Amino acid sequence: FGRGLNFPIVRRVTLRRKGDFKVSCSYDESAANYGLEAGSTTDIADWTIKAPPGEEKKVRVNVKQDIHGIISLSSAQMVEEIEEEEGENKEEEMKDENGEKKKKIKRTNLEYTETKPLEWSKAEVDKFNESEVAMRNQDRVVKETSDMRNELESYIYSMRDKIDSESQLGPYANQQEKDTFLKKNDEVENWLYEEGFDATKSVYAAKLAELKKLGGPIESRAAEAAARPNAVSALQKNVEKFKKWLADAQGNDAFTHILDEEFNKCHAKCDEVSSWLYDKMDEQGSLPPHVDPAFTAADVNAKSQELSTICSPIMHKPKPKPKVEEKPKTEETPAEQPAENANAMETEGDDDKMDVDEA
């Protein structure tokens, strides 16, 4: 196989052999100019082909090189010429141009074994696969450790600036909480750049958990203070929606199918939710921002869902369909009767005409 050929390509070699024989494939001397390392074996593959013993037979060996440059033996065939048997009618025997009988070509696939000096054994492949998995796991641990270290470092810097800022977390922590957190924050920061520079992922995670245990409640108060107004507004709109519907539905013929008990149930739930909300808002108004809130946005959303669960099915209760009255069945007269009556009328009419003519 030369360079610059179109692949895949197959080369055929025809030999005359008897018994087992070997076909070898190897690099030539020019391979050293194209990257084959000095001292490396030039053998690519050996194929031991099992031909029948005795008389030499013609053997065709087809060697293939695929688009990846891999050499393989595509087939090894023994080729024999066999004369056709004479038929009963000699005039119909097939002959070639020289008048000789045509011969059949019989091809028999031969068994062969393949050995490749450059091919790894299964044990070697498994060994290198294990090494690759080990290196991949090591890289994953290094990356996860680095990510956790960066997360800890980011938390230290961000919280140190936020905890003293009146526009961020400052209002939501008292002085004692600030002092305790900043002390712990400085302690972890010093550890990070000294003893903890080469710590493991689990150690970094433990240090981060220690800081979040102190800073988490402060962050939670700030997050609740930001989320509560929207949640309260949504609940108030929900209550107003159902109260407006209750006011419009009274005396409206479109809602006569709704029972008084269901209206009362909606009124009671709206009043209950409104009372709960205003009580909690009054309680929250008396608390400083650095104290845990009297209620959370999740509590407000739960109340809104509870109100909708009770009132929405009643509000959208479908009006029952009117009953259809069945019409009484009328007795049908036989089809033949009108025809008989018509004939009778025609007869009477004819008689009348005849009487008039006679007069």
Side-chain angles (χ1 to χ4, degrees):
F1 299 95
R3 293 183 175 274
L5 299 177
N6 293 325
F7 297 104
I9 188 172
V10 176
R11 295 296 192 192
R12 174 182 293 174
V13 181
T14 303
L15 309 168
R16 298 193 70 88
R17 293 289 187 272
K18 62 179 180 179
D20 296 353
F21 65 97
K22 180 183 291 187
V23 177
S24 299
C25 180
S26 61
Y27 292 110
D28 60 13
E29 295 178 356
S30 65
N33 300 328
Y34 297 98
L36 184 66
E37 295 184 3
S40 301
T41 179
T42 58
D43 295 334
I44 298 175
D46 295 323
W47 299 283
T48 301
I49 302 172
K50 298 180 180 180
E55 184 181 355
E56 287 187 348
K57 300 290 186 180
K58 184 188 292 186
V59 179
R60 286 179 180 173
V61 179
N62 296 318
V63 181
K64 178 182 178 181
Q65 185 174 18
D66 62 16
I67 60 175
H68 306 292
I70 306 299
I71 302 292
S72 61
L73 186 66
S74 59
S75 67
Q77 295 179 331
M78 181 176 64
V79 181
E80 298 176 281
E81 294 181 351
I82 303 175
E83 292 185 0
E84 294 184 352
E85 297 180 358
E86 295 184 358
E88 295 180 358
N89 189 353
K90 294 183 179 180
E91 294 180 358
E92 296 180 359
E93 291 181 356
M94 301 295 292
K95 296 183 179 181
D96 58 13
E97 296 177 355
N98 299 325
E100 297 179 357
K101 294 181 180 179
K102 287 189 175 180
K103 296 181 180 180
K104 286 185 176 180
I105 302 299
K106 180 182 179 182
R107 296 179 178 86
T108 305
N109 290 326
L110 301 178
E111 296 181 358
Y112 63 90
T113 57
E114 181 182 59
T115 57
K116 292 184 177 181
L118 299 178
E119 188 174 38
W120 287 346
S121 64
K122 186 178 183 305
E124 290 175 322
V125 173
D126 294 341
K127 177 183 176 182
F128 288 118
N129 281 337
E130 291 175 1
S131 299
E132 183 181 3
V133 171
M135 289 187 289
R136 190 182 298 117
N137 290 335
Q138 185 178 1
D139 292 342
R140 177 180 56 80
V141 171
V142 170
K143 183 180 183 304
E144 291 178 355
T145 302
S146 177
D147 292 343
M148 183 57 67
R149 186 179 188 278
N150 292 336
E151 186 178 353
L152 174 60
E153 188 176 26
S154 299
Y155 190 80
I156 290 172
Y157 288 136
S158 63
M159 287 296 290
R160 183 175 59 190
D161 297 334
K162 291 178 181 178
I163 202 76
D164 283 333
S165 175
E166 291 299 320
S167 62
Q168 297 185 33
L169 298 180
Y172 304 101
N174 57 36
Q175 192 59 44
Q176 182 180 357
E177 289 176 324
K178 292 180 182 179
D179 295 341
T180 302
F181 179 83
L182 290 174
K183 180 181 178 181
K184 187 66 177 179
N185 199 61
D186 293 340
E187 178 185 330
V188 174
E189 182 181 6
N190 294 332
W191 170 87
L192 181 63
Y193 295 112
E194 295 175 1
E195 300 175 8
F197 189 79
D198 294 327
T200 60
K201 173 187 173 182
S202 59
V203 176
Y204 289 138
K207 291 293 183 180
L208 182 61
E210 291 178 10
L211 287 178
K212 286 188 174 182
K213 185 177 180 180
L214 299 175
I218 302 172
E219 292 179 291
S220 178
R221 292 170 199 152
E224 286 296 332
R228 268 197 312 272
N230 292 334
V232 169
S233 176
L235 178 57
Q236 289 174 334
K237 290 180 180 178
N238 207 19
V239 172
E240 290 174 3
K241 177 184 72 173
F242 289 117
K243 284 187 174 181
K244 183 177 183 303
W245 171 76
L246 289 170
D248 295 341
Q250 298 292 334
N252 192 332
D253 294 340
F255 299 100
T256 54
H257 61 285
I258 298 178
L259 303 177
D260 292 340
E261 292 81 359
E262 293 174 322
F263 280 123
N264 295 335
K265 186 177 181 180
C266 290
H267 277 294
K269 194 61 184 178
C270 289
D271 294 341
E272 175 192 338
V273 172
S274 297
S275 177
W276 175 87
L277 180 61
Y278 290 122
D279 290 344
K280 289 297 181 180
M281 291 176 65
D282 291 342
E283 186 179 352
Q284 181 64 38
S286 62
L287 296 176
H290 58 78
V291 177
D292 290 340
F295 67 105
T296 64
D299 297 335
V300 178
N301 293 333
K303 284 292 182 181
S304 181
Q305 181 62 36
E306 183 181 338
L307 177 65
S308 297
T309 302
I310 292 177
C311 296
S312 186
I314 299 174
M315 178 179 177
H316 298 94
K317 181 179 178 181
K319 193 172 184 178
K321 296 181 180 180
K323 294 182 179 180
V324 179
E325 297 181 359
E326 296 182 0
K327 295 182 179 180
K329 295 182 179 179
T330 57
E331 294 182 0
E332 296 181 357
T333 56
E336 298 177 354
Q337 189 171 357
E340 293 176 357
N341 295 337
N343 292 335
M345 292 178 63
E346 290 178 0
T347 304
E348 292 175 359
D350 293 341
D351 294 342
D352 293 341
K353 289 180 182 179
M354 291 175 66
D355 293 342
V356 172
D357 291 339
E358 288 179 355

